[in-house]
Amino acid sequence: MRISELSERSGVSIASIKYYLREGLLAGGLRTATNQAVYGEQHLRRLRLVRALIEVGGLSIAHVRAAIAAVDDDSTSMHDTFGAVMHGLDKVQPGEDDADVLAAYDEVQAWLASRGWTVDQDAPAQHRLAELVATLRRFDFPAALTDFDVAADNVERTADSEVRYARAQDDRTASVETMLIGTVILERAIVEVRRLGLEAASFKIENTCPDPRSGV
């Protein structure tokens, strides 16, 4: 197929496809003339993955490039390939952490160890969790890592099947795409369910309590 058909079938503009080609995120097509090339189904699938990484995952071009390299490198374990994608999902701001965040980070490490969770020390999520806990405490929320035990228990019940399902896909590209979409979309769904629950709780208290501010 020509680039116009590739654009139409993928939903990615020709300008974006050319940009991905220049950035090395998409392999070049088979040259048929000086300024013409044809593309195959593998290009269509790669575009789908690149688009998902950028639009759904919100990954930077640098993170997408690293993820694509991991997908294409059969010597990279599937665990490390997933890591190349997952680690790009959480944006940790550069700079030195303050004392509150560092203290919370130590608590996160102890909490992970207590649960028997083995996590790469460079995984951004543990740093982000420490930042969030420290921020909650600054606003006088009595946040402890054990407050997340119920959520962590729920994750443990589903994570194994999610990862196994992703790894069981036909190829590495499909596995990474499945892992990414499942992670991002399920996380957003859980956030929306929580927001709905908070609104429902607020309505209930507003309409059943003599003094809503008392909470009784």
Side-chain angles (χ1 to χ4, degrees), residues 121-138:
Q121 65 178 7
D122 294 326
Q126 57 194 331
H127 298 279
R128 176 62 69 202
L129 180 56
E131 290 178 349
L132 294 172
V133 169
T135 301
L136 285 170
R137 290 170 177 170
R138 290 187 186 117

Side-chain angles (χ1 to χ4, degrees), residues 190-208 212:
I190 290 169
V191 167
E192 298 307 323
V193 169
R194 183 176 184 277
R195 289 175 179 173
L196 291 170
L198 288 171
E199 183 173 341
S202 177
F203 178 85
K204 182 177 180 180
I205 292 172
E206 180 77 19
N207 289 277
T208 58

Side-chain angles (χ1 to χ4, degrees), residues 9-20:
R9 291 183 61 186
S10 66
V12 179
S13 69
I14 293 177
S16 292
I17 293 174
K18 290 181 177 179
Y19 174 67
Y20 297 156

Side-chain angles (χ1 to χ4, degrees), residues 118-168:
T118 301
V119 177
D120 191 298
Q121 65 178 7
D122 294 326
Q126 57 194 331
H127 298 279
R128 176 62 69 202
L129 180 56
E131 290 178 349
L132 294 172
V133 169
T135 301
L136 285 170
R137 290 170 177 170
R138 290 187 186 117
F139 286 91
D140 298 322
F141 279 80
L145 269 299
T146 52
D147 295 337
F148 300 101
D149 280 342
V150 173
D153 291 342
N154 289 333
V155 167
E156 285 187 339
R157 283 192 286 269
T158 61
D160 184 82
S161 59
E162 287 181 36
V163 174
R164 289 182 185 278
Y165 176 75
R167 293 174 66 103

Side-chain angles (χ1 to χ4, degrees), residues 39-152:
Y39 301 87
E41 292 297 321
Q42 72 274 20
H43 292 93
L44 183 63
R45 296 190 63 218
R46 176 52 55 85
L47 266 179
R48 180 182 175 186
L49 177 59
V50 170
R51 188 179 186 186
L53 291 169
I54 294 173
E55 296 184 8
V56 179
L59 271 66
S60 67
I61 293 298
H63 277 119
V64 173
R65 188 179 292 108
I68 293 299
V71 170
D72 290 339
D73 185 359
D74 289 337
S75 67
T76 301
S77 71
M78 188 58 72
H79 174 69
D80 288 339
T81 301
F82 284 165
V85 175
M86 297 298 109
H87 291 184
L89 295 176
D90 214 343
K91 312 300 187 296
V92 177
Q93 296 296 325
E96 295 184 3
D97 291 328
D98 59 32
D100 292 339
V101 175
L102 291 173
Y105 179 78
D106 289 339
E107 293 177 48
V108 169
Q109 295 303 301
W111 181 70
L112 290 172
S114 72
R115 299 197 65 87
W117 286 10
T118 301
V119 177
D120 191 298
Q121 65 178 7
D122 294 326
Q126 57 194 331
H127 298 279
R128 176 62 69 202
L129 180 56
E131 290 178 349
L132 294 172
V133 169
T135 301
L136 285 170
R137 290 170 177 170
R138 290 187 186 117
F139 286 91
D140 298 322
F141 279 80
L145 269 299
T146 52
D147 295 337
F148 300 101
D149 280 342
V150 173

